[in-house]
Amino acid sequence: MPNKIRIALDAMGGDHGPSIVVPGAELSLARHPNAELILFGDAAQIEPLLEKSPRVKAASRVVHTSVAIRMDDKPSKALRQGRRNSSMWLAIDAVKKREADVAVSAGNTGALMVMSKLHLRMMAGVDRPAIACQWPTLKGVSIVLDVGASIGADAEHLAHLAAMGSAMARVLLNVEKPTVGLLNIGVEEVKGLEPVREAARILREQPWPHMQYYGFVEADDIGKGTVDVVVTEGFAGNIALKAAEGTARQIGEFLRAELKRRLRSKLGYLFARPAFAAVREKMDPAKSNGGVLLGLNGIVIKSHGGASAEGFAVAIDIGYDMVRHDLLAKIGEALGHDPGRATSAGLVEGVAS
Amino acid sequence: MPNKIRIALDAMGGDHGPSIVVPGAELSLARHPNAELILFGDAAQIEPLLEKSPRVKAASRVVHTSVAIRMDDKPSKALRQGRRNSSMWLAIDAVKKREADVAVSAGNTGALMVMSKLHLRMMAGVDRPAIACQWPTLKGVSIVLDVGASIGADAEHLAHLAAMGSAMARVLLNVEKPTVGLLNIGVEEVKGLEPVREAARILREQPWPHMQYYGFVEADDIGKGTVDVVVTEGFAGNIALKAAEGTARQIGEFLRAELKRRLRSKLGYLFARPAFAAVREKMDPAKSNGGVLLGLNGIVIKSHGGASAEGFAVAIDIGYDMVRHDLLAKIGEALGHDPGRATSAGLVEGVAS
């Protein structure tokens, strides 16, 4: 683990580029004074912002590029136009070259995944990346993955997700043997998809030194905090995440509208406001901003494209924590006991760099 | 449309059986005096309850059976033990025999689906049932289907779901051409599953006299009320539903806990209570209780197993509305313009009774 933690930032990523990235970095640096930054992007836009961000100015260097990936570019186009020279690619490249320990981008998710996979390559035994998020629960925080990196998963990929997610939980939640549940549905005739049932068998039967397999969970278990890690393929995971976010926003709007409608309640609102603020804080997407791309030979963090400076700072914080607690080594440990190795040794060779 | 609407109730279904079903029926009858009920179940349990439910007593007859399907029976076991003689089967049988217009059960979902499919058979051109629910939104209510009847769907099944869901929306929402969206995810490299893309093509290119195809929606669009009908296969649909329910409960618990923690907020709570109550009412699962089994030659309503009497009454109400506004004819109309008929005429023959 390096003494200084070196963070590569795609300064042009997200809906607002450097105007969010630089102040976000300033907030995160205040919490992590031993971080060093490399900012990739348009120097003419970045440098004026440094004047208002003295910590960033002192702890960073700027690497200029005029090429930025647009939020709505298809990954194929992004790759054609931005490979080797875009701010996103250069941030990933810094991780590849060991000049940085982690890359953080609020840019186009598809482009970030494709570039990361192409340049950093997958870890031995893992065939494609996943995105893991932190999900606020009644008990604290759980890790949910995959929330949209790829659609569909066979049993082996689900087992990999379990291993990688539990490694991330060890880092973030500070538990030695996180509990892991497989997302399933409980109301249908034959319970669940074949890959989910098969993954359950793998997780139940193999010895996993760093996780504890709990069993199936349903989507309403996520918010209860029934398990530390919830594993699912990316389509269902993304739908769970968006449905929860949508419901939280919906309830917020209902409450605001109802309180506005009633004079008596307006008075009540004044009294109840601290409680609302506390709940809003707990459910605030910014507080759990930062999806971790897992399965790569390197750490890449995806911030929400519309994140505020505070949200982007949290994404940097997560990257920092992942490096400091050596996520990659913990994933390696977890995958070392991966049944994928035992049962299909060919996989461990594979695409490893 | 019959003058009297005849409703068959599985009096033994749900976690609490007749002790919920009978008072629930009483509540619904107060709103629908022209309904007639047949209660199937253990007469020794049902009849004493009628004394406290005068409307039910006056407007119902009891058909005794001592066989009840258990909530945790596998469908295969339920069928082996309860075919022809269980309260659930007999309620469905009343619809089959045209003695009732609709069956309502809070029993085991899997058993209800299997029995309904076996006994009522599927409509021409539809290969398996779906469960549609009402979802409270910022704009009112939307229909979401399938929320867990079956896992996976090809493009044609998704198009059927669109047709059936829009027929249900015409009944419930009183719009002539409901808007229909296909649930998809927006963050991954190649957007969406092949069947979802193919269904989009079918819905876009065919003329649908009774619906308006909107396009893809994400799961956070559901609560916004972006479209009247959200179509997805049962695994993702069930996960969206449970994730939303879980989040609503979680926020409720956060709010309660925060308000309890603060004296000042407790006072605020007194003032803000009417607004809380209004929001709780809007998000109350009981208010939208009652999944409609679609695609069958008959109307079957699934109440939540843990529903209160009020919740069960809402499920009966939905069944009543579906009969009164002739859901089956509207689904027939919708499927008459179904591309499945045009492109694969064999389907229309099929399993139709």
Side-chain angles (χ1 to χ4, degrees):
Chain A
M1 180 178 4
N3 193 17
K4 285 273 181 184
I5 290 182
R6 301 160 309 162
I7 301 172
L9 299 181
D10 168 10
M12 310 312 285
D15 300 339
H16 311 289
S19 68
I20 286 296
V21 169
V22 174
E26 183 74 8
L27 291 168
S28 182
L29 275 181
R31 299 190 279 256
H32 305 300
N34 75 328
E36 278 179 357
L37 307 178
I38 318 175
L39 282 77
F40 296 92
D42 181 357
Q45 287 183 60
I46 297 168
E47 274 159 7
L49 292 162
L50 299 181
E51 298 313 314
K52 280 173 280 177
S53 297
R55 287 191 182 87
V56 180
K57 189 174 180 183
S60 72
R61 62 189 171 95
V62 176
V63 177
H64 174 76
T65 174
S66 57
V67 182
I69 305 299
R70 292 160 54 106
M71 292 305 276
D72 54 357
D73 277 348
K74 288 201 174 157
S76 53
K77 187 184 169 201
L79 208 54
R80 217 164 41 239
Q81 300 186 340
R83 188 173 176 176
R84 303 199 198 287
N85 56 2
S86 63
S87 59
M88 183 185 280
W89 178 277
L90 292 173
I92 296 165
D93 186 53
V95 174
K96 172 78 176 182
K97 290 183 176 150
R98 311 279 180 235
E99 291 168 7
D101 303 304
V102 53
V104 183
S105 174
N108 182 324
T109 309
L112 187 65
M113 289 221 323
V114 168
M115 286 184 175
S116 299
K117 186 177 174 190
L118 182 73
H119 201 36
L120 298 176
R121 318 287 295 268
M122 301 308 299
M123 289 180 129
V126 183
D127 65 342
R128 52 207 164 118
I131 301 179
C133 77
Q134 296 183 71
W135 187 300
T137 74
L138 287 174
K139 295 187 187 161
V141 166
S142 295
I143 309 295
V144 180
L145 76 166
D146 175 16
V147 292
S150 68
I151 287 176
D154 59 15
E156 191 166 47
H157 186 59
L158 290 171
H160 288 154
L161 293 177
M164 296 192 294
S166 57
M168 183 169 153
R170 287 174 67 203
V171 168
L172 271 178
L173 314 180
N174 199 25
V175 279
E176 203 34 48
K177 285 190 94 168
T179 53
V180 175
L182 281 169
L183 191 62
N184 203 344
I185 76 176
V187 301
E188 83 299 3
E189 181 184 357
V190 183
K191 290 206 178 187
L193 298 157
E194 188 46 51
V196 178
R197 281 204 300 273
E198 173 63 14
R201 196 190 55 71
I202 294 174
L203 293 175
R204 209 169 39 235
E205 292 178 2
Q206 303 281 335
W208 296 90
H210 297 297
M211 74 167 105
Q212 197 181 325
Y213 177 60
Y214 172 90
F216 293 138
V217 293
E218 293 195 54
D220 54 349
D221 284 302
I222 308 176
K224 287 180 195 158
T226 304
V227 289
D228 298 316
V229 181
V230 176
V231 170
T232 185
E233 59 78 40
F235 191 81
N238 189 266
I239 280 170
L241 180 65
K242 292 275 172 74
E245 286 176 351
T247 303
R249 250 196 320 272
Q250 184 184 353
I251 294 175
E253 296 209 16
F254 276 151
L255 269 175
R256 249 189 308 281
E258 280 299 331
L259 289 164
K260 246 185 172 168
R261 244 167 39 81
R262 299 158 193 269
L263 181 65
R264 191 161 151 246
S265 296
K266 261 187 202 161
L267 192 59
Y269 185 64
L270 286 179
F271 287 103
R273 197 157 48 181
F276 285 147
V279 172
R280 202 176 304 121
E281 169 119 353
K282 270 191 180 150
M283 300 297 291
D284 184 2
K287 298 283 164 198
S288 47
N289 182 43
V292 181
L293 270 62
L294 295 175
L296 300 161
N297 288 311
I299 306 176
V300 177
I301 309 295
K302 164 69 177 109
S303 161
H304 196 285
S308 62
E310 179 52 54
F312 193 77
V314 171
I316 300 176
D317 293 349
I318 290 176
Y320 180 95
D321 283 342
M322 292 297 146
V323 175
R324 192 164 60 95
H325 297 292
D326 216 350
L327 174 69
L328 293 184
K330 289 198 169 73
I331 291 180
E333 264 177 59
L335 291 174
H337 299 281
D338 180 335
R341 288 181 74 147
T343 56
S344 53
L347 261 182
V348 264
E349 318 305 325
V351 291
S353 68
Chain B
M1 181 180 5
N3 193 17
K4 285 274 181 186
I5 288 181
R6 303 160 306 162
I7 301 172
L9 299 181
D10 168 11
M12 310 312 283
D15 300 339
H16 312 289
S19 68
I20 286 295
V21 169
V22 175
E26 184 74 8
L27 292 170
S28 182
L29 276 181
R31 299 190 279 257
H32 306 300
N34 76 326
E36 279 179 359
L37 307 177
I38 318 174
L39 281 77
F40 296 92
D42 181 358
Q45 287 184 61
I46 297 168
E47 274 158 5
L49 292 163
L50 299 182
E51 299 313 314
K52 280 172 282 176
S53 297
R55 287 192 181 87
V56 180
K57 190 173 183 184
S60 72
R61 61 189 172 95
V62 175
V63 176
H64 173 76
T65 174
S66 57
V67 182
I69 305 299
R70 293 160 51 105
M71 292 305 276
D72 54 356
D73 277 348
K74 288 201 174 158
S76 52
K77 187 182 170 204
L79 208 54
R80 217 164 42 239
Q81 300 186 341
R83 187 174 177 175
R84 302 194 199 291
N85 55 3
S86 63
S87 59
M88 182 185 281
W89 179 277
L90 292 173
I92 296 165
D93 186 53
V95 174
K96 172 78 175 184
K97 291 183 176 150
R98 312 280 179 233
E99 292 169 6
D101 304 303
V102 54
V104 183
S105 173
N108 183 325
T109 309
L112 187 66
M113 289 224 321
V114 168
M115 286 185 175
S116 299
K117 185 177 174 188
L118 182 73
H119 202 35
L120 298 175
R121 317 290 292 269
M122 301 308 299
M123 290 180 130
V126 183
D127 64 341
R128 53 205 164 119
I131 301 178
C133 76
Q134 295 183 71
W135 187 300
T137 73
L138 286 174
K139 295 186 186 162
V141 166
S142 295
I143 310 296
V144 180
L145 76 166
D146 175 17
V147 294
S150 68
I151 287 177
D154 59 15
E156 192 166 47
H157 186 60
L158 291 171
H160 288 154
L161 294 177
M164 297 192 293
S166 56
M168 183 171 155
R170 287 175 66 202
V171 169
L172 272 179
L173 314 181
N174 199 26
V175 279
E176 203 34 52
K177 286 191 92 167
T179 53
V180 175
L182 281 168
L183 191 61
N184 202 343
I185 75 175
V187 301
E188 83 299 1
E189 183 184 358
V190 183
K191 289 206 179 186
L193 298 158
E194 189 47 49
V196 178
R197 280 204 300 271
E198 174 62 13
R201 196 190 54 73
I202 294 173
L203 294 174
R204 209 169 38 234
E205 292 177 4
Q206 304 280 336
W208 296 92
H210 297 298
M211 73 167 104
Q212 196 180 326
Y213 177 60
Y214 172 89
F216 294 138
V217 294
E218 293 196 53
D220 54 348
D221 284 303
I222 308 175
K224 287 181 197 160
T226 304
V227 289
D228 297 318
V229 181
V230 176
V231 170
T232 184
E233 58 78 40
F235 190 82
N238 188 266
I239 280 171
L241 181 65
K242 292 275 172 71
E245 285 175 354
T247 303
R249 253 198 315 273
Q250 184 184 353
I251 294 175
E253 296 209 14
F254 276 151
L255 268 175
R256 250 189 306 282
E258 280 298 330
L259 289 163
K260 245 184 173 166
R261 244 167 39 81
R262 298 158 194 268
L263 182 63
R264 192 160 152 247
S265 298
K266 260 187 200 161
L267 192 59
Y269 185 65
L270 286 180
F271 286 102
R273 197 157 48 183
F276 286 147
V279 172
R280 200 177 305 120
E281 170 119 353
K282 270 190 180 152
M283 302 297 293
D284 185 2
K287 297 283 163 195
S288 48
N289 182 42
V292 181
L293 270 61
L294 294 175
L296 301 161
N297 287 311
I299 305 177
V300 177
I301 309 294
K302 163 71 178 109
S303 161
H304 196 284
S308 62
E310 178 52 52
F312 193 77
V314 171
I316 299 175
D317 294 348
I318 290 177
Y320 181 95
D321 282 342
M322 293 295 148
V323 175
R324 193 163 59 95
H325 297 291
D326 216 349
L327 175 69
L328 294 184
K330 288 198 170 72
I331 291 180
E333 265 176 60
L335 290 174
H337 300 279
D338 182 334
R341 290 182 74 146
T343 57
S344 53
L347 261 182
V348 265
E349 318 305 326
V351 292
S353 67

